[in-house]
Amino acid sequence: MGRVRMSDVAARAGVSTATVSMVLSGVNTARISPQTQQRVREAAEAVGYEPNSVARSLRTQQTRLVGLVSDTIATTPFAGRMLAGANDVAREHGRLVILVDTEGDVGAERQALQALSGQQVDAMIYACMWHRVVEVPADLPEDAVLLDCAPATANRAAVVPDERAGGMAAVRELVAAGHRRIAYLDAEERFDLVASRLRREGYLQVLAEAGIEPDPFLHARAEPVAGGGRAAARRLLDLPAGRRPTAMFCFNDRMAMGAYAAAHQRGLSVPDDLSVVGYDDQQLVAAELDPPLTTVALPHYEMGRWAMEVALGLREADPAAPHLMPCPIVRRASVGPPPAQFGD
């Protein structure tokens, strides 16, 4: 069977090949009725017509391709949601995403950016593994969008999680439950994480709003993994009864998992004896803990959609400041009132 041609589509739809060309390329369709456009698309699908992408790009000056360059996003737990958000928008608007994971190699990154520019992609997105400030690569086009990172100097369209507001939401959840001795299990300073600083600012702001004097002993730093959370929680639970926290806000869900383990080792129950709130809403962690963890969700899917919408010119962005994407609280079963024996 020979290759299906545009004339085959035209014959099936009962229109000229010029009409088929305009409908399928999206060019000069204002005078073509929606009914005719729909009939052409249905005819193209029925006969299995696949347009010549090279010829189409010459006519429209578009390749229908979007480049997405990342450091190690493709191997992180959150990558799927971020990529899904970007890809859903691209697919809705007839674009194909080309993903290049450079694994943090500067040379590979430069090569990828140059190659994508050579392919004349319609748009480009530069994504990071975690929220951080980056030096924008010299080869990155000026209209590229930054995803989960903010530019150190140059004005660029960018989207990042609203970490401070997320920290506030977490601590407000604990204050609303009646807690006043609330610890923050934080990442160690050596990791130099933007999220660590902003989430702590949110923590301190809510304490101030609630009239709670921050206790420096309740700010415990550790490696932001389950083992680090367990060690930090042990130190806090070993404080005298009058200083011991009744609730813990954890930098991420893995540290919260460690806090659960430390509580169980001391015969304490979550949330009867200790309330815990995490951050990230990490798949296969937060919802699977016993009891399921109340946490703050990182909006990876929403950020991916936003970045692609801006890249394709579907929404406006202010290059002067990153767009802050809300981080919603996800209520489960790890927060309760403070135990009576530890009441103020």
Side-chain angles (χ1 to χ4, degrees):
M1 186 174 179
R3 182 176 182 272
V4 178
R5 300 180 180 277
M6 193 177 292
S7 57
D8 299 318
V9 180
R12 187 177 183 93
V15 299
S16 68
T17 54
T19 298
V20 172
S21 176
M22 287 187 287
V23 170
L24 297 184
S25 66
V27 175
N28 296 329
T29 59
R31 295 184 178 181
I32 304 174
S33 71
Q35 295 82 0
T36 299
Q37 293 185 46
Q38 182 63 25
R39 193 164 73 249
V40 168
R41 294 190 188 96
E42 290 174 352
E45 184 175 356
V47 300
Y49 176 71
E50 295 181 0
N52 184 309
S53 60
V54 174
R56 182 179 61 193
S57 67
L58 290 173
R59 289 194 305 272
T60 65
Q61 299 299 304
Q62 290 185 329
T63 60
R64 316 297 289 179
L65 301 175
V66 179
L68 197 160
V69 178
S70 74
D71 48 8
T72 51
I73 187 176
T75 58
T76 65
F78 311 110
R81 296 295 293 161
M82 193 179 291
L83 297 177
N87 195 57
D88 282 354
V89 174
R91 186 172 58 250
E92 290 164 10
H93 295 275
R95 275 14 184 242
L96 179 68
V97 178
I98 302 176
L99 172 64
V100 182
D101 193 331
T102 65
E103 298 183 350
D105 185 293
V106 176
E109 179 180 87
R110 183 183 305 111
Q111 185 178 28
L113 293 173
Q114 291 173 350
L116 289 170
S117 295
Q119 290 292 320
Q120 296 184 323
V121 294
D122 295 342
M124 203 177 299
I125 295 172
Y126 183 83
C128 286
M129 174 181 174
W130 66 85
H131 179 186
R132 66 178 188 266
V133 175
V134 297
E135 293 292 342
V136 177
D139 294 301
L140 190 68
E142 290 187 6
D143 59 353
V145 181
L146 304 188
L147 173 55
D148 207 14
C149 54
T153 52
N155 287 348
R156 295 279 184 149
V159 59
V160 295
D162 193 346
E163 308 278 13
R164 183 185 291 103
M168 293 175 66
V171 182
R172 280 177 178 152
E173 192 76 6
L174 296 168
V175 170
H179 294 277
R180 296 188 65 80
R181 289 196 295 280
I182 303 169
Y184 177 37
L185 274 62
D186 197 359
E188 291 176 338
E189 288 182 284
R190 64 188 173 93
F191 292 100
D192 192 26
L193 299 174
V194 173
S196 167
R197 173 178 57 81
L198 294 175
R199 293 173 192 179
R200 183 167 183 257
E201 287 178 4
Y203 162 79
L204 293 173
Q205 184 170 336
V206 173
L207 293 187
E209 290 175 357
I212 301 172
E213 184 69 27
D215 184 343
F217 285 99
L218 297 186
H219 180 212
R221 290 188 180 272
E223 186 175 359
V225 296
R230 183 170 58 250
R234 282 175 179 167
R235 296 196 301 270
L236 291 165
L237 293 175
D238 284 342
L239 290 171
R243 302 289 298 280
R244 190 183 311 161
T246 61
M248 295 183 183
F249 166 44
C250 301
F251 172 74
N252 61 23
D253 294 342
R254 288 174 294 169
M255 294 189 82
M257 182 190 300
Y260 269 50
H264 293 158
Q265 288 170 355
R266 279 155 174 72
L268 301 176
S269 171
V270 176
D272 295 339
D273 302 309
L274 179 71
S275 289
V276 181
V277 175
Y279 209 114
D280 290 353
D281 196 26
Q282 186 171 338
Q283 189 177 19
L284 303 180
V285 176
E288 303 303 321
L289 287 172
D290 184 19
L293 178 67
T294 292
T295 187
V296 176
L298 282 173
H300 288 102
Y301 180 83
E302 293 79 7
M303 290 194 300
R305 284 196 67 94
W306 188 95
M308 185 60 73
E309 288 170 355
V310 172
L312 296 181
L314 302 173
R315 73 157 68 224
E316 296 292 324
D318 181 4
H323 177 74
L324 300 178
M325 190 65 70
C327 300
I329 190 88
V330 181
R331 294 182 178 87
R332 294 195 177 97
S334 62
V335 176
Q341 62 268 36
F342 295 128
D344 290 318

